[in-house]
């Protein structure tokens, strides 16, 4: 292929490198004002009185929007579609505050500095209420008054097959605890809103994953016709799920509507930590049943998810964990139960992989403990039970297509020198007291869109310019990882013209087609295929035009590169530029097409990850010595960007395994600084080798499947497995920080002394 499978820089690489890229935080509009938010300082209570007099008198302050003078309509920050069935518990500003960081008011001023200073001068009188920082306390009834709808919500009960009664089965019980973690995007949360009071129109600029989702929510909150709400996707400095639920957008909109001017709201790092959302803490109790040869006979799992102060996506998230487990292994029996529990802590929300990593952390650990109990190699146990091409997802009834998980495991075992390293590590551990090494493997799987669980579709428009270039109109949401250039590559490949002859932008509800958003790894698989279909339609339209212009049979015409010519008549040879011009001048027509696509497949996509670690048993510090990721990708579109996606995901997942944890103090105050929230830095990052299995066979563009979420799915489980292998342990309380490891080793040593 001419472009697909090659490597190109992202579309705005030069602008970013030179500082010319414009983020929402860089925007300046005529008459712009600035917002700063007042947050609750208590975990649970009622705002009895709000004294804004001193703040309003501060120089530069224009107005203050707060919980008593703005809309009281409740909403759910997870809403992204009209009529979505959700429980509404949140307001733009809340007088019933439910966590430290809850929004009470927003000062609107001529400068950001003035707004931030004025916020300090607002005096709040609270009636403090009992609070809960853990699901255990909530389940005891500590905060039954937190929401009218309650504090505990059943999410799902899935049962498939009959529970085996064979008493000879090997039963393995595990407990998994996942901490709350933050997305830590390079770009913090930001939004700009402008309200034209004369037209009654609201425009919002924000880095987000669905412009139409924001339009829907904002229109509903402020009771505006959707045609009066325009949302424009701006340059994004990373999301990882952080910018697919709406935190700043309602606040900026409320402020702009109140003053009738543009308002910019930028959260600093602390505010982004404390008042947006993070990945939900989870507690799993799991039982797996195996025959003695390793055949998995059943899985029984219960999940309690900490939703934080507002429901957001938590019911759906707790439900989806159970669904994501149906796309990797075969289960004769499967039961999964989950519930979401409100606490007075940071709101829980989406995170990269949308429950696939969490499900994988739990289940892959169970498999590793099963392999240990059975005396089997962990890879052999997975190969015994993994799904194969043509198998069916038992929950959705959807075939998983050309699913190459077994091949990824086998290739990884060979290229990671698994068997040789096992022997080397055993020798190393026998000879070393302080340092211990271990190997870990994990298999993660994911989806390529919503089908068949939810509505999914895409539309693409293409128009031919007089210079022979093609303007493509599609609703994309580039997270900063190269989506725009990938689609430029797909279109150029399908059209047969140079990449520079294809132009496209990102989502804008006024101009780009209706789209459900950048979720569920659907962008390349669904929208990419729509691009190919639209390109084929445009080439067919070119034949139509030339057939009319040259009075020649359409079946004799060939579209090749930037020309349309006749196989039989050498005189019929039109450039695309000439076709556009002649169509306008002679036919009085613009050459354009629009194509809609509705997917009816959703193949499985998988990654097998392999980690080698060294643990310092004196300090609990863990070093990743080597890492290999093997992915069943179908076809890489922009190869180096797919590699980079995977390498970045490994650093993210390894950080979740070893370091990352948002700590909440007993008074309900969470940490809000990178001084306390530790990440894997560049000098600590391991060398990550990435390999792709590319054999197409899907309905995606050129056989492509997803990579952006599945590459994160297996990581944490692989690193945790390697640590447990090194220490001969069974820890799955994430993260395995030095303190956790040292405490485990101390307890282990104490038990050994007592025996």
């Amino acid at each position: 292929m001419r472009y697909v499978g090659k490597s190109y820089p992202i579309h705005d690489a030069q602008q970013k490198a030179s500082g010319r890229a414009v983020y929402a935080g860089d925007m300046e509009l005529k008459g712009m004002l600035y917002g700063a938010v007042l947050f609750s300082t208590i975990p649970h209570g009622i705002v009895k009185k709000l004294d804004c007099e001193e703040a309003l008198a501060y120089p530069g302050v224009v107005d203050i929007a707060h919980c008593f003078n703005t809309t009281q309509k409740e909403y759910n920050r997870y809403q992204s579609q009209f009529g979505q069935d959700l429980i509404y518990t949140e307001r733009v500003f809340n007088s019933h505050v439910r966590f430290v960081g809850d929004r009470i008011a927003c000062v609107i001023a001529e400068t950001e500095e003035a707004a931030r200073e004025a916020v300090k001068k607002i005096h709040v009188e609270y009636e403090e209420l009992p609070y809960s920082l853990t699901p255990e306390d909530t389940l005891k009834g500590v905060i039954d008054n937190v929401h009218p709808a309650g504090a505990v919500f059943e999410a799902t009960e899935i049962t498939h097959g009959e529970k085996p009664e064979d008493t000879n089965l090997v039963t393995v019980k595990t407990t998994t605890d996942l901490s709350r973690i933050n997305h830590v995007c390079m770009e913090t949360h930001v939004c700009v809103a402008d309200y034209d009071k004369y037209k009654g129109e609201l425009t919002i600029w924000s880095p987000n994953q669905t412009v139409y989702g924001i339009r829907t929510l904002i229109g509903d909150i402020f009771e505006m016709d959707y045609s009066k709400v325009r949302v424009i996707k701006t340059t994004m400095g990373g999301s990882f799920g952080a910018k697919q639920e709406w935190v700043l957008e309602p606040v900026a909109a409320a402020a702009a509507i109140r003053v009738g001017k543009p308002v910019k709201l930028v959260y600093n790092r602390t505010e982004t930590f404390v008042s947006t959302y993070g990945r939900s803490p989870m507690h799993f109790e799991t039982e797996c049943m195996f025959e003695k040869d390793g055949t998995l006979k059943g899985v029984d799992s219960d999940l309690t998810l900490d939703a934080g102060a507002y429901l957001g996506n938590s019911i759906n998230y707790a439900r989806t964990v159970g669904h994501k487990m149906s796309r990797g292994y075969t289960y004769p029996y499967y039961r999964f139960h989950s519930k979401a529990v409100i606490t007075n802590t940071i709101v829980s929300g989406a995170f990269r992989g949308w429950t696939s990593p969490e499900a994988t952390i739990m289940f892959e650990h169970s498999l590793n403990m099963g392999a240990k109990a059975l005396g089997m190699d962990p890879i052999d146990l997975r190969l015994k039970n993994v799904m194969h091409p043509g198998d069916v997802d038992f929950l959705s009834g959807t075939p998983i297509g050309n699913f190459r998980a077994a091949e990824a495991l086998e290739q990884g075992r060979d290229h990671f020198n698994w068997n040789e390293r096992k022997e080397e590590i055993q020798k190393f551990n026998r000879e070393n007291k302080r340092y211990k090494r271990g190997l870990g493997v994990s298999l993660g799987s994911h989806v390529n869109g919503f089908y068949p669980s939810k509505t999914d579709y895409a539309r693409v428009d293409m128009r031919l310019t007089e210079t022979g270039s093609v303007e493509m109109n599609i609703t994309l949401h580039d997270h900063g990882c190269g989506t725009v250039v990938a689609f430029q590559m797909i279109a150029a490949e399908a059209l047969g013209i140079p990449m520079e002859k294809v132009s496209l932008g990102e989502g804008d509800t006024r101009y780009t087609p209706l789209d459900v958003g950048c979720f569920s790894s659907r962008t390349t698989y669904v929208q990419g295929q729509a691009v190919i279909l639209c390109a084929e339609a445009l080439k067919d339209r070119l034949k139509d035009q030339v057939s009319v212009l040259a009075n020649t049979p359409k079946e004799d015409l060939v579209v090749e590169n930037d020309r349309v010519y006749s196989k039989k008549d050498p005189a019929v040879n039109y450039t695309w530029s000439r076709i556009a011009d002649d169509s306008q001048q002679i036919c009085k027509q613009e050459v354009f097409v629009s194509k809609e696509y509705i997917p009816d497949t959703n193949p499985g996509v998988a990654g097998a990850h392999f980690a080698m670690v060294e643990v310092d048993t004196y300090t609990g510090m863990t070093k990743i010595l080597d890492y290999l990721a093997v992915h069943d990708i179908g076809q890489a579109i922009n190869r180096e960007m797919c590699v980079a996606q995977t390498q970045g995901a490994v650093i993210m997942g390894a950080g979740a395994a070893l370091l990352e944890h948002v700590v909440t103090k007993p008074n309900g105050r969470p940490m809000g600084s990178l001084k306390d929230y530790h990440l894997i830095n560049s000098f600590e990052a391991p060398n990550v080798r990435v390999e792709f299995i590319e054999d197409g066979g899907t309905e995606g563009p050129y056989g492509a499947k997803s990579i952006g979420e599945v590459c994160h799915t297996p990581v944490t489980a692989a690193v945790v497995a390697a640590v447990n292998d090194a220490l001969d342990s069974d820890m799955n309380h994430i993260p395995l920080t030095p303190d956790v490891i040292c405490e485990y080793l101390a307890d282990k040593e104490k038990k050994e002394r007592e025996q």
Side-chain angles (χ1 to χ4, degrees), residues 127-145:
E127 175 191 339
E128 297 194 36
L129 299 173
Y131 61 90
S132 166
L133 303 182
T134 66
E136 290 78 15
D137 280 347
T138 301
L139 291 168
K140 293 174 184 175
V142 172
I143 54 168
D144 282 349
N145 63 336

Side-chain angles (χ1 to χ4, degrees), residues 546-595:
V546 172
S547 176
V548 171
L549 291 167
N551 192 25
T552 191
K554 180 180 177 180
E555 57 268 22
D556 293 345
L557 298 175
V558 175
V559 181
E560 187 174 329
N561 297 323
D562 60 351
R563 290 182 174 272
V564 178
Y565 62 88
S566 172
K567 293 178 289 185
K568 297 181 178 179
D569 185 355
V572 178
N573 192 329
Y574 282 68
T575 65
W576 287 21
S577 175
R578 180 184 173 188
I579 296 170
D581 186 48
D582 284 2
S583 293
Q584 292 178 29
Q585 302 304 323
I586 299 172
C587 302
K588 306 296 185 287
Q589 291 179 325
E590 180 185 26
V591 180
F592 75 95
V593 294
S594 181
K595 192 68 177 180

Side-chain angles (χ1 to χ4, degrees), residues 369-422:
M369 295 302 103
K372 189 175 181 179
L374 293 162
M376 288 184 68
D377 180 90
I379 297 177
D380 290 338
L381 181 60
R382 285 164 172 80
L383 289 170
K384 185 84 175 177
N385 297 288
V386 74
M387 296 175 78
H388 295 279
D391 285 351
V392 174
D393 178 335
F394 69 83
L395 287 180
S396 68
T398 307
I400 62 166
N402 196 22
F403 187 63
R404 297 295 182 183
E407 188 176 337
L409 285 165
E410 291 168 343
Q411 181 173 313
R413 175 166 59 185
D414 181 35
H415 293 184
F416 200 64
N417 299 318
W418 178 268
N419 293 328
E420 296 86 345
R421 280 181 164 174
K422 281 173 63 177

